Amino acid sequence: MPRRPRRLRANGHIRDLVRETHLRRDDLIMPVFISHGTNIHREIPSMPGIFQHSLDTLDRELDAICQAGLSRVILFGIPQAKDAVGSDAFDDQGGIIQRAVRHIKTHYPQLYVITDVCFCEYTDHGHCGVLSEEGRLLNDPTLANLQRQTLSHARAGADMLAPSGMIDGMIGAMRQALDAGGHHDLPLMSYAVKYASAFYGPFRDAVDSAPQSGDRRAYQMDPANAREALIEAALDVEEGADILMVKPALAYLDIVASIRANFDLPVAAYNVSGEYSMVKAAAARGWVDERALATEKLLSMKRAGADIIITYFARDLAGELP
């Protein structure tokens, strides 16, 4: 007798019963943009529904996140002033992320706070570290500053750090600094496989981090390369990463699947700004069902092997998920 797979699709009860992949609220992390200043609640033009918040307006966003049932956020900062080395990033008292972490841990202790650890938002040149006079990113001086930023975020009370610069040796340098500083239990979610992608455009609007000269192809990965992703991930595992991230997610589901197949650590996927904004733009024209399409995209990331998804849809979708 021929098999009839449609028997297992006949109604919602049987489809729910045999479903292979599940998208849950606990899979999601919501990005939050925090700016110096006061009375800032500024919608990002290229990211409808996503805002920059100053500390005095931040609670509005945090309340919405908690009401949606989310418990994990990742913070990105917009400093008051930028300089050549991004010194706001390691300013214990005045740094925008440090102040935000302390605020959240005081007023929203139920939230798990992850901080992005990088320099592109904080440097006046828009690159992810220290530059030479010729404009070349200097790896080892950047690692030294990365250690300063790491310890500053740890002292502020961050629950997890997420280095995003694709700097060689960044996980080892951060782990060394954390261990020496007594922060042995602080986990690192490495942007282990981060491509030089055109999907980042709206994010650079959000934090004003577009490079003032050149681009980031000398340190972010070539979109044409897949085997190299395994090398990058293996190095981060050796250096002490706790979670491996692939960024972007949607155009790199093959990479998500490859990392899942080759490593035992949890895998995160970043559903980045361009992926978000494309759905928003099409939905605004009535071309697609926004929630259905967003949910299907996130489900594809889980199906590819992601355990964790960072997504700008998290706040709006979480209430509909188990």
Side-chain angles (χ1 to χ4, degrees):
M1 294 289 292
R3 293 189 64 177
R4 292 183 179 248
R6 286 180 55 195
R7 292 177 186 139
L8 300 183
R9 306 175 200 150
N11 56 58
H13 289 293
I14 190 67
R15 290 193 297 272
D16 290 346
L17 190 64
V18 302
R19 184 161 291 134
E20 300 172 21
T21 305
H22 297 271
L23 181 65
R24 305 172 306 141
R25 186 182 306 150
D26 279 343
D27 299 328
L28 307 181
I29 298 170
M30 181 68 193
V32 179
F33 296 103
I34 304 171
S35 176
H36 268 289
T38 58
N39 199 32
I40 295 172
H41 180 69
R42 181 185 302 121
E43 188 171 31
I44 299 162
S46 56
M47 299 177 68
I50 304 299
F51 293 79
Q52 295 175 345
H53 311 271
S54 51
L55 287 179
D56 60 322
T57 68
L58 178 60
D59 289 2
R60 182 189 312 186
E61 176 70 8
L62 298 178
D63 287 341
I65 288 169
C66 292
Q67 289 167 10
L70 291 170
S71 59
R72 300 164 189 91
V73 294
I74 183 168
L75 307 183
F76 299 90
I78 301 100
Q80 184 173 29
K82 304 188 180 194
D83 58 32
V85 296
S87 56
D88 188 279
F90 44 79
D91 182 345
D92 275 351
Q93 298 306 313
I96 186 58
I97 289 298
Q98 292 83 340
R99 293 170 60 208
V101 171
R102 290 193 293 268
H103 174 88
I104 296 172
K105 300 312 289 186
T106 298
H107 299 285
Y108 295 84
Q110 71 272 34
L111 287 178
Y112 188 83
V113 180
I114 306 163
T115 59
D116 177 73
V117 180
C118 193
F119 291 101
C120 60
E121 302 103 306
Y122 305 96
T123 55
D124 53 15
H125 47 71
H127 283 281
C128 299
V130 180
L131 295 187
S132 69
E133 293 182 0
E134 298 77 24
R136 180 172 55 87
L137 184 70
L138 298 175
N139 199 90
D140 293 354
T142 297
L143 289 180
N145 283 349
L146 194 61
Q147 289 180 315
R148 298 174 68 185
Q149 186 182 17
T150 294
L151 288 173
S152 186
H153 286 200
R155 287 190 291 261
D159 295 301
M160 179 188 288
L161 307 183
S164 61
M166 290 295 287
I167 307 302
D168 289 345
M170 64 183 184
I171 296 299
M174 292 175 67
R175 182 57 65 197
Q176 181 184 39
L178 289 170
D179 288 351
H183 304 283
H184 304 89
D185 296 329
L186 198 64
L188 298 178
M189 177 169 61
S190 177
Y191 289 62
V193 183
K194 181 179 180 181
Y195 285 89
S197 172
F199 282 101
Y200 302 150
F203 177 90
R204 291 171 181 171
D205 290 342
V207 295
D208 187 27
S209 66
Q212 297 303 300
S213 62
D215 54 45
R216 298 180 181 137
R217 287 182 293 180
Y219 45 98
Q220 294 177 356
M221 279 187 56
D222 185 341
N225 291 359
R227 294 189 299 273
E228 184 183 5
L230 299 179
I231 297 172
E232 289 282 4
L235 289 170
D236 284 359
V237 171
E238 291 173 10
E239 293 175 18
D242 299 287
I243 300 170
L244 301 173
M245 187 196 302
V246 176
K247 181 183 180 182
L250 190 62
Y252 298 87
L253 294 179
D254 60 321
I255 307 301
V256 174
S258 179
I259 298 298
R260 171 73 290 146
N262 284 277
F263 299 95
D264 293 330
L265 294 182
V267 176
Y270 200 141
N271 177 214
V272 299
S273 59
E275 298 167 355
Y276 171 86
S277 297
M278 288 163 58
V279 174
K280 283 288 189 178
R285 291 178 173 264
W287 293 344
V288 298
D289 181 325
E290 178 183 323
R291 287 182 179 267
L293 183 55
T295 302
E296 186 175 340
K297 288 171 60 175
L298 300 185
L299 190 63
S300 76
M301 297 165 201
K302 285 294 301 289
R303 193 178 63 245
D307 303 290
I308 301 161
I309 302 173
I310 302 171
T311 177
Y312 302 97
F313 288 113
R315 184 205 332 112
D316 294 339
L317 295 182
E320 302 173 4
L321 298 175

